[in-house]
Amino acid sequence: MGIRGLSSFVQNHTSLGDQKQWRSGEEHRDHLVFDGNAFVYHFAGLHNSHWTHGGKNDRSNDLLRTDREREKRGGKKREGDEQGPIGSFFIFFPSFFRFSFLTGQYSDLIERIQHVLHELQGASLALTFVFDGALPHSKFTTRKKRYGSYIERSASIMSHLSTINQSNKGDAWALGPQYRPDQFLIPPLAMEACLQAIRGVQGVRVLISQGEADMSLAQLAHRVQGYVVSKDSDMHVVPACGRGYIPIDALSIENEVIKATTYRPDALAALLQLPSPAMLPVLGSLVGNDYVTGPAVASAVLRAWADLHPGQKPRPGQLHVPKYAADLLNHVANRDLGATNGPEKLIPSVMVLLTPFLPASHDAADVLATIYHSILVYDPSSPYVPAHVQRPADQPAFFDENGNQGRKLPPSRLVQDVLSTQTFWASVFLEDLQQPTASVISQPLRHALYAWLRVDRVAEHVRERQHLACVSTDTPLNRFNVSVQPRDFYFTAHNTTPPFATSSYPYFASVVMCLRFYIINASHLGRPLANHEVVALIVATLAAAAAPEDLPMALRASLTGPVIPSLKKRSIHVAAEWQQILLHSYTLGSALGCCNAALGARAAVRIDLAAMYNGLHVHLCLQMGRLGASIGRMLDGAAPALAQQFDDVYRAAVLAEHLDARITRIFDYKFSDKPSKPWLKSRILSKQDPAATSSIAPPAPGGNSTKKKKDKRVKTTASASAPAAAAANPFNILSFGCQFE
């Protein structure tokens, strides 16, 4: 959330920002220290077209160019377009974006990120990324509010599926769905997929903070005398932040020139007439932040200021609170501090002025302790906090990126949450809100993780219907043998044995295990997968790693034209569950050291999240399967190697473990070992009589398969939007930006 109103205050005083430039090919040797989480969220928000499919394909390429670039391609200037380069991080390489959607989904996003990093390195900039670890208990209230808002967004999206599907038809595909920016939800695999990608860029340093990264990256930037790059107004009040703070949306690249607006704490302190930047953390705490929550203290500041200035009324709006808080601090400092009273007397003197205006529910001693804690977050050596108050470490604490001699990756935020606060926070994305949360399907993998970490109870924060619930989970420690080798533990956690077959598909073992896990647990939960869903997931997963020329015809067409599948609740939920399984399988494997890319051939499995999931492909294949496309029709036009990989994965995931009985049989795919391979014929299948069989196995001898007529569906069209309807519709504003807390 940051400091309330401070970003607007700073933006209203343009003199606070200094312009900085770096040119490609020049020797600058400056250091940029990125807030990794803010970077990923910001980048994902910039390229959020068709994110409802769990995808990042950006078909709205016209929005990414200046008018001059658009005219070179024969396009026209569009009403409301900017006159110059638009925004940040997306005007770097026009020719690249012209075909950006050819690279896929998460893979498209990370390719853009890697290209950006290479551009920054081309200007001799050293790059360090610091990612969040576990959030402290003091942030739980803020975190719960954010997750609650994510669920509200998900509910809003799910209630307007028909609007989204209608906007995806016809010529609308070129622009993408018209979402409001505040409806955006980051897809579940984005953070870990981008982290994998950043790790893969040579020369980029990646650190995982042992806690929240905000102040750790500021301390690191100060130590290396670099710039903090983030999206957090807290950075404006950190006295020691290296050479300055660069808001991530104030960093851009135009014609091989990197431009940034930098902010320094001494400039803000001078504008507010504070005696030194060391008083800025006090200001930020009085204005209100993630630690001093609620409006009570800020309101008391305004009333105390008015009490000191009879006849004057504070201007309304959070934008003006920083100025009034600074005036109050200056008044107290000039009146009470001097030769006999040191700086540690400042806050108690301020509290004397604030206490009469605090609500009765706020104890002054508790408010004082909260303010002290907030100040120390920004400045562990603050002179305004008495010596008896416990202080955090001056040096930032990070996990070594090399981990355990290269075998394990540093623990992710999910793992650190479990270890530090014994909590799990399920990612919130689109799913059927009438069904249990999609994270339920991957709970056995989390139980295995808890057992390996020796944590016997975890509070899981998950969605229940349309609200966030906290469910205390006891880890079934007796089910897991943690004394075995990590590789064996990893396979056991997936309820399977290692797939002994081989395949040219690079992620064969991981996909087979995850698919087996999905089939078994979906059946156990009483919501078995249909056979067309299993087939669709295999085809889409294989296609995510395939070259464009090797794709089936239907998926290849989605690269160049308006082939956008309709969003259905069941497909959305299946896609969400599949992503949860991939994510938590990767998390467990990383904690065990079984899927570290640095291990190469020694790794138990290979997991590349960006190459294992493509949202548009998943939804398109699920739609084709639901409508009766045969395996051959789904694979029509694919390279022979892809068809062979399907054969390998299907046999290993389903037939080798006899899991066909756990799948609901809707269509007869005639999968067999016959030379003619009838399952490769391209055709539309008819649904079978549900009473005939419930598995994917062939019918019993003598059994009949009754063809079922397709249900008639009423085709609906969007009606003209009345003003009232438009006001209630969250998708009637064309925007590809995003706002984050």
Side-chain angles (χ1 to χ4, degrees):
M1 180 181 68
I3 298 172
R4 289 189 287 272
L6 188 57
S7 289
S8 299
F9 179 85
V10 169
Q11 290 170 7
N12 277 6
H13 295 81
T14 56
S15 62
L16 290 173
D18 294 326
Q19 302 306 311
K20 179 72 177 178
Q21 292 187 5
W22 300 272
R23 293 185 179 276
S24 180
E26 296 180 355
E27 290 292 330
H28 299 286
R29 301 190 183 281
D30 281 336
H31 199 142
L32 301 184
V33 182
F34 283 89
D35 180 334
N37 293 71
F39 178 86
V40 172
Y41 271 84
H42 178 74
F43 216 96
L46 289 177
H47 309 296
N48 62 5
S49 299
H50 303 286
W51 63 266
T52 45
H53 292 87
K56 308 305 304 174
N57 293 54
D58 202 333
R59 297 172 177 272
S60 56
N61 299 300
D62 243 20
L63 293 175
L64 307 180
R65 294 180 172 81
T66 63
D67 293 334
R68 182 178 300 175
E69 289 164 346
R70 192 173 295 117
E71 289 168 1
K72 285 181 180 179
R73 294 165 39 241
K76 296 180 179 180
K77 177 180 175 181
R78 289 143 43 111
E79 183 178 356
D81 278 350
E82 302 262 354
Q83 296 300 315
I86 306 171
S88 56
F89 284 131
F90 57 128
I91 286 294
F92 308 160
F93 23 85
S95 60
F96 174 73
F97 281 98
R98 186 174 304 172
F99 303 103
S100 62
F101 52 83
L102 295 179
T103 57
Q105 190 252 40
Y106 288 112
S107 58
D108 177 58
L109 177 63
I110 67 171
E111 185 172 343
R112 295 174 185 224
I113 287 178
Q114 290 175 332
H115 199 117
V116 167
L117 300 187
H118 289 311
E119 289 280 323
L120 296 175
Q121 288 179 324
S124 300
L125 293 172
L127 306 178
T128 296
F129 283 80
V130 181
F131 285 86
D132 281 335
L135 285 186
H137 286 285
S138 58
K139 282 292 191 79
F140 275 18
T141 300
T142 299
R143 198 173 191 181
K144 288 178 180 177
K145 289 180 180 178
R146 289 179 180 174
Y147 276 64
S149 72
Y150 299 158
I151 294 174
E152 291 175 359
R153 296 180 201 178
S154 179
S156 178
I157 300 291
M158 294 299 292
S159 66
H160 288 84
L161 289 184
S162 60
T163 305
I164 296 174
N165 290 330
Q166 189 64 33
S167 71
N168 277 331
K169 294 180 179 179
D171 295 336
W173 76 275
L175 301 179
Q178 301 181 32
Y179 308 116
R180 254 178 31 198
D182 58 356
Q183 295 293 317
F184 175 75
L185 290 168
I186 189 169
L189 305 182
M191 185 61 67
E192 290 297 335
C194 292
L195 181 52
Q196 278 188 305
I198 295 171
R199 283 189 174 116
V201 178
Q202 187 175 4
V204 175
R205 187 183 182 194
V206 176
L207 298 172
I208 308 297
S209 176
Q210 295 186 23
E212 193 175 21
D214 295 351
M215 296 307 112
S216 295
L217 69 95
Q219 291 171 354
L220 177 62
H222 194 68
R223 191 170 68 192
V224 301
Q225 279 303 290
Y227 294 91
V228 173
V229 184
S230 183
K231 196 170 186 179
D232 191 343
S233 57
D234 285 319
M235 292 300 165
H236 287 295
V237 303
V238 179
C241 61
R243 301 185 65 182
Y245 163 53
I246 301 175
I248 200 167
D249 50 8
L251 181 65
S252 62
I253 304 179
E254 303 166 20
N255 300 321
E256 299 186 339
V257 178
I258 301 165
K259 299 180 180 180
T261 304
T262 67
Y263 297 89
R264 292 190 52 80
D266 52 358
L268 179 60
L271 178 71
L272 294 171
Q273 299 180 340
L274 297 176
S276 76
M279 198 176 283
L280 288 173
V282 183
L283 174 89
S285 302
L286 295 180
V287 172
N289 54 20
D290 286 350
Y291 308 96
V292 184
T293 59
V297 173
S299 176
V301 167
L302 295 179
R303 296 178 66 184
W305 181 90
D307 190 56
L308 293 173
H309 300 79
Q312 297 186 43
K313 185 177 180 180
R315 298 176 64 182
Q318 191 69 32
L319 167 66
H320 306 290
V321 177
K323 179 60 177 175
Y324 295 121
D327 287 347
L328 189 67
L329 288 174
N330 284 323
H331 170 82
V332 174
N334 294 330
R335 185 192 67 182
D336 296 344
L337 303 188
T340 57
N341 290 328
E344 69 277 2
K345 299 296 184 180
L346 176 68
I347 310 303
S349 297
V350 170
M351 286 302 300
V352 171
L353 298 178
L354 298 185
T355 300
F357 304 108
L358 290 174
S361 58
H362 285 59
D363 180 74
D366 292 340
V367 172
L368 178 63
T370 301
I371 291 175
Y372 280 151
H373 170 72
S374 173
I375 293 171
L376 291 175
V377 170
Y378 300 123
D379 184 5
S381 58
S382 174
Y384 299 104
V385 178
H388 65 82
V389 178
Q390 184 177 0
R391 296 168 182 262
D394 282 323
Q395 294 298 321
F398 303 111
F399 284 99
D400 182 7
E401 180 65 3
N402 291 326
N404 181 18
Q405 288 77 49
R407 289 197 61 82
K408 296 180 183 178
L409 295 174
S412 64
R413 173 188 275 190
L414 190 157
V415 173
Q416 288 196 53
D417 279 337
V418 173
L419 289 172
S420 300
T421 61
Q422 291 75 55
T423 59
F424 163 75
W425 300 78
S427 59
V428 178
F429 195 59
L430 301 183
E431 51 189 65
D432 187 349
L433 301 182
Q434 302 305 313
Q435 297 292 331
T437 175
S439 62
V440 167
I441 195 73
S442 59
Q443 190 177 59
L445 292 175
R446 297 198 302 277
H447 281 169
L449 176 66
Y450 305 158
W452 185 260
L453 299 175
R454 276 71 165 181
V455 179
D456 57 2
R457 176 170 293 184
V458 175
E460 294 198 330
H461 295 264
V462 299
R463 176 191 64 81
E464 281 190 1
R465 294 291 181 176
Q466 296 190 26
H467 69 276
L468 185 69
C470 179
V471 181
S472 182
T473 303
D474 291 324
T475 305
L477 296 175
N478 59 334
R479 281 176 42 196
F480 300 98
N481 181 7
V482 296
S483 64
V484 301
Q485 291 295 316
R487 179 179 183 275
D488 297 329
F489 185 89
Y490 185 65
F491 287 124
T492 302
H494 289 76
N495 296 322
T496 187
T497 56
F500 295 105
T502 59
S503 173
S504 61
Y505 177 56
Y507 312 108
F508 174 73
S510 54
V511 170
V512 167
M513 284 196 304
C514 288
L515 197 58
R516 289 178 183 174
F517 178 88
Y518 195 1
I519 294 170
I520 292 171
N521 285 279
S523 175
H524 177 73
L525 292 172
R527 302 191 302 275
L529 290 168
N531 61 347
H532 60 83
E533 293 171 337
V534 173
V535 168
L537 287 178
I538 295 175
V539 173
T541 303
L542 294 172
E549 62 271 16
D550 293 337
L551 291 174
M553 189 181 304
L555 300 185
R556 203 181 311 149
S558 68
L559 302 178
T560 56
V563 183
I564 300 176
S566 296
L567 288 165
K568 302 293 183 182
K569 286 186 177 180
R570 173 62 182 174
S571 296
I572 288 173
H573 207 74
V574 168
E577 290 181 328
W578 182 235
Q579 290 188 83
Q580 289 292 322
I581 292 170
L582 293 176
L583 175 61
H584 293 142
S585 177
Y586 170 74
T587 302
L588 176 62
S590 298
L592 295 170
C594 292
C595 60
N596 188 346
L599 293 177
R602 294 186 290 121
V605 293
R606 290 184 61 188
I607 297 182
D608 184 342
L609 296 173
M612 294 171 65
Y613 188 89
N614 182 303
L616 284 174
H617 288 175
V618 167
H619 282 275
L620 184 57
C621 288
L622 286 171
Q623 176 173 282
M624 293 172 65
R626 183 173 65 248
L627 297 178
S630 66
I631 298 173
R633 193 174 187 87
M634 288 193 195
L635 293 173
D636 188 24
L642 195 67
Q644 182 58 53
Q645 289 172 0
F646 176 90
D647 187 286
D648 297 338
V649 172
Y650 185 84
R651 292 184 189 282
V654 180
L655 300 184
E657 294 291 310
H658 307 290
L659 297 182
D660 39 354
R662 293 177 177 262
I663 302 170
T664 301
R665 179 175 178 174
I666 304 297
F667 301 105
D668 181 7
Y669 288 109
K670 301 187 181 300
F671 195 87
S672 69
D673 291 323
K674 295 180 180 179
S676 61
K677 293 189 176 181
W679 55 274
L680 281 177
K681 292 182 179 179
S682 177
R683 59 184 183 274
I684 297 296
L685 306 175
S686 297
K687 291 183 179 180
Q688 292 198 309
D689 183 356
T693 179
S694 62
S695 76
I696 201 170
N704 295 323
S705 175
T706 305
K707 292 184 178 180
K708 184 179 179 180
K709 295 182 179 179
K710 294 183 179 179
D711 297 333
K712 294 183 179 179
R713 302 179 184 231
V714 179
K715 185 177 181 180
T716 60
T717 57
S719 58
S721 56
N729 178 9
F731 309 102
N732 60 1
I733 299 176
L734 180 62
S735 175
F736 294 88
C738 184
Q739 297 174 347
F740 300 99
E741 293 89 345

